């Protein structure tokens, strides 16, 4: 299949540091290439891929000191993709919505994965106007605020099998990985660890917007001898950091659209204690790959019982449900369905014309 | 002629306070309607027009407390305009570039007025990619950074004749109107007034970005007895504020793309002392409607000699060159040329097909 992947230009594909969307686009692109498809990746020029790279700017916008205008750069990319559109069987967009006006006027099938949360009034109105746009959700729960949109499927994120190694025997600590922001629930994670008498190691980034929250709510909690605030860590360190943990704590207080770190944990064989919000019950099977809880008391009980979860089983579930190959396979089904629907429409139109 | 005017959604058309582009779109739209054209205005829902208003959002984005996503709102507008495109002879865009990818794929002629400065590297690259897009400049000098673009003409801004009244006999002060920012040269204006021993009245807005500049550079200069910092003024006060001034001081230190306040002064009969930057020599005729100077010494000499400028002549020049009707007339020439070119192309294509 001839496939265009269109990535955001904010980070390179794959990104050097943070950039969840760009990471997933990279895993998907490489898996599709490995499966023998002809993939063209529209991304920043400092990207690295086995696909044909179409560089849409010299370097990722976030790292470009000239502070390029992101709307302009993405508009130019949309134009460029459509000027090549007839060379593709399908175009897969990861850049939100800037392409919608053109996509719905082109005969080449376009599909858009929405990578963020959807409970914003503006987004609902947008998709009322563009209700024919084929969309993919990254969890079923993500769709809740806009059930009426043209959903073609849910495709869970996936990781290359070799990215994280299986860790059979954990050390004696819980891990927290993520941003320090109210919706990520780090204060809850600290409470769980202290109640269990188990050390908590925290790999966390403090965005500028969250600095006040960090100073006022989190910093006073960090003095406890069980709590170790490691700060930001790179991909290389993540394998051991998560893999050696008894459990990953994921006490989110928002409608998490997917939660990549949960499948990173499963890839390591590390079970997850997570709050029942957003995608969580779809990603973590209660009692099998971790525990899905509703409140702090249940979370503490779950953390105490985490040894009951079979780490080998966690890795098995990861390999089956959350590998990059599984993700690529699911997307290929979505692409094929769109191509078939387009052909059916064309055949129907031709039949009407002939009649 | 069936004309679509597409305005930015940041302010209503006309705006309630600042918003140069929205003001000009309003003057143009009303003049075209008055001249008998069938005009559709795409703008925020709180706009006020004699044209057919197509409300693209409930209220102007700047005044909407829900803080709408401007890229989303403008993307939705672009889509809506093109879904109605075949009802128009021409579509006139005032929203920068978001419509370019679609505009160049549609047969209905589109023309875009660029309202800002163009000396940004990103803009040059953008217009290399979209080099066929028909553009209008608001001064010849504005074009300098991108001479190779597809310029269809320069159309100077215009104001309704009745907006400002002619003031034959001025009071004893100079006026400064504009933002307090380094490129607007308020410090120079203060220097000129003090050197001439003439009071300076300042109607100026301090944007958040300019607060440090205001505190450090400007505030220490405001203590002088000749200097009167009035702050922000509304349109109603502008007539007398500018009209009663001996001269408007316009000591800009940037490539001013047009400079609306210069023609507001001429409309009042008030001559202008302006630096030779950007559009200035096109708008102000040296020795006729004011003085165009290169340095502070010449500016002081010019301000001392401002009584030599005939105020009646200033108003005459305004009425001839800078009325809203003149602007509408010039735009109609641009529209007609685009429509003719499109017909010629179509005729040529048809002839080729028939041959």
């Amino acid at each position: 299949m001839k496939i265009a992947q269109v990535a955001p230009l904010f980070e390179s594909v794959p990104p050097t540091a943070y950039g969840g969307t760009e990471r997933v686009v990279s895993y998907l692109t490489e898996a599709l290439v490995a499966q023998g498809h002809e993939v063209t990746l529209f991304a920043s020029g400092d990207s690295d891929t086995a696909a044909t790279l179409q560089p849409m700017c010299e370097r990722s916008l976030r790292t470009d000191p000239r502070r390029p205008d992101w709307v302009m750069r993405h508009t130019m990319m949309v134009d460029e993709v459509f000027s090549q559109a007839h060379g593709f069987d399908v175009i897969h967009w990861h850049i939100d919505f800037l392409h919608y006006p053109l996509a719905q006027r082109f005969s080449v099938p376009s599909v858009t994965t929405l990578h963020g949360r959807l409970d914003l009034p503006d987004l609902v109105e947008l998709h009322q106007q563009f209700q024919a746009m084929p969309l993919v959700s990254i969890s079923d729960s993500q769709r809740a605020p806009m059930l009426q949109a043209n959903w073609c499927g849910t495709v869970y994120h996936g990781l290359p099998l070799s990215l994280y190694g299986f860790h059979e025997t954990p050390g004696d600590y819980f891990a927290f990985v993520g941003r320090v922001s109210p919706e990520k629930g780090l204060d809850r994670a600290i409470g769980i660890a202290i109640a269990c008498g188990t050390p908590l190691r925290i790999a966390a980034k403090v965005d500028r917007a969250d600095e006040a929250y960090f100073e006022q709510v989190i910093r006073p909690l960090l003095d406890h001898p069980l709590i170790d605030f490691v700060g930001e860590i790179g991909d290389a360190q993540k394998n051991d950091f998560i893999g050696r943990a008894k459990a990953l704590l994921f006490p989110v207080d928002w409608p998490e659209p997917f939660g990549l770190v949960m499948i990173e944990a499963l890839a390591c064989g590390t079970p997850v204690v997570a709050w029942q919000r957003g995608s969580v019950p779809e990603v973590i099977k209660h009692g099998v790959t971790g525990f899905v809880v509703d409140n702090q008391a249940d979370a503490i009980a779950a953390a105490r019982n985490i040894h009951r979860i079979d780490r080998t089983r966690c890795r098995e579930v990861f390999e089956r449900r959350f590998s990059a190959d599984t993700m690529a396979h699911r997307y290929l089904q979505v692409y094929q369905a769109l191509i078939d629907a387009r052909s059916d429409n064309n055949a129907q139109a031709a039949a009407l014309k002939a009649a």
Side-chain angles (χ1 to χ4, degrees), chain A:
Chain A
M1 204 180 284
K2 289 183 188 166
I3 304 162
Q5 294 290 339
V6 188
L9 302 174
F10 298 107
E11 306 289 342
S12 59
V13 176
T16 48
Y18 290 85
T21 300
E22 289 86 346
R23 273 179 68 195
V24 171
V25 174
S26 174
Y27 301 150
L28 172 61
T29 299
E30 303 314 306
L32 290 169
V33 171
Q35 291 178 26
H37 296 282
E38 208 175 302
V39 186
T40 302
L41 173 64
F42 294 84
S44 70
D46 49 358
S47 296
D48 183 22
T49 180
T52 303
L53 177 64
Q54 291 272 5
M56 293 292 105
C57 51
E58 225 171 280
R59 53 194 287 188
S60 68
L61 302 187
R62 195 185 54 80
T63 63
D64 191 330
R66 289 168 301 180
R67 299 173 142 266
D69 180 322
W70 75 268
V71 182
M72 199 181 286
R73 285 289 159 185
H74 285 82
T75 301
M76 291 166 75
M77 176 161 73
V78 166
D79 176 67
E80 184 57 38
V81 172
F82 282 109
S83 74
Q84 303 184 29
H86 295 293
F88 305 120
D89 298 314
V90 64
I91 306 173
H92 188 174
W93 301 87
H94 303 269
I95 61 159
D96 294 339
F97 57 81
L98 258 186
H99 55 291
Y100 285 3
L102 264 169
Q104 65 174 8
R105 292 173 168 89
F106 258 74
S107 58
V108 178
S110 270
V111 61
T112 303
T113 295
L114 294 179
H115 285 265
R117 61 191 289 181
L118 305 181
D119 54 339
L120 313 163
D122 277 354
L123 270 179
V124 174
E125 260 191 80
L126 176 81
H127 288 95
Q128 279 164 350
Q129 180 164 335
F130 295 99
Q131 53 185 305
M133 285 301 305
L135 302 179
V136 166
S137 44
I138 57 175
S139 66
D140 291 339
S141 80
Q142 184 202 22
R143 298 183 184 183
M146 11 186 282
L147 291 171
Q148 307 308 318
N150 182 18
W151 296 108
C152 302
T154 287
V155 182
Y156 297 127
H157 290 335
L159 309 175
L161 289 184
S162 59
L163 192 65
Y164 295 97
F166 175 59
H167 293 65
E168 196 171 352
T169 316
D172 184 36
Y173 68 91
F174 298 141
F176 176 97
V177 178
R179 279 181 296 112
V180 175
S181 62
E183 69 268 23
K184 291 292 188 181
L186 176 53
D187 51 339
R188 290 172 172 174
I190 293 169
I192 296 166
I194 292 173
C196 293
T198 303
L200 175 69
R201 303 192 64 198
I202 303 164
K205 188 186 172 207
V206 184
D207 286 342
R208 195 166 301 173
D210 297 317
E211 274 169 12
Y213 170 77
F214 177 72
E215 291 302 330
Q216 285 157 29
V217 179
I218 298 300
R219 195 187 284 284
L221 305 175
L222 299 181
D223 281 340
H224 196 283
L226 286 172
I227 308 303
D228 180 13
F229 189 87
V230 178
E232 295 188 42
I233 60 170
D235 266 355
Q237 299 156 275
K238 245 182 180 177
N239 191 7
D240 276 351
F241 185 87
I242 301 177
R244 291 184 183 158
K246 283 165 72 170
L248 177 83
L249 304 186
F250 196 67
V252 287
D253 191 21
W254 77 316
E256 182 72 49
F258 184 76
L260 213 46
V261 71
M262 289 192 285
I263 67 170
E264 292 176 323
L266 299 187
C268 297
T270 301
V272 180
V273 175
W275 252 248
Q276 179 152 341
R277 294 295 306 274
S279 64
V280 166
E282 296 173 59
V283 177
I284 301 302
K285 191 145 185 226
H286 185 71
V288 178
T289 52
F291 296 108
V292 179
V293 300
D294 280 322
N295 56 58
Q296 188 75 345
D298 288 355
I300 292 165
R304 285 197 179 119
N305 285 313
I306 202 68
H307 57 275
R308 297 197 186 165
I309 301 293
D310 177 358
R311 294 179 69 98
T312 310
R313 188 75 189 280
C314 291
R315 174 74 193 185
E316 278 169 15
V317 169
F318 161 73
E319 290 187 6
R320 186 165 42 80
R321 297 185 66 206
F322 301 115
S323 74
D325 274 334
T326 303
M327 168 171 67
H329 181 72
R330 279 287 295 126
Y331 272 120
L332 285 165
Q333 291 176 327
V334 170
Y335 303 159
Q336 194 59 56
L338 283 169
I339 293 165
D340 293 347
R342 194 60 60 117
S343 309
D344 287 354
N345 284 347
N346 290 350
Q348 237 175 336
L352 278 171
K353 242 185 181 168

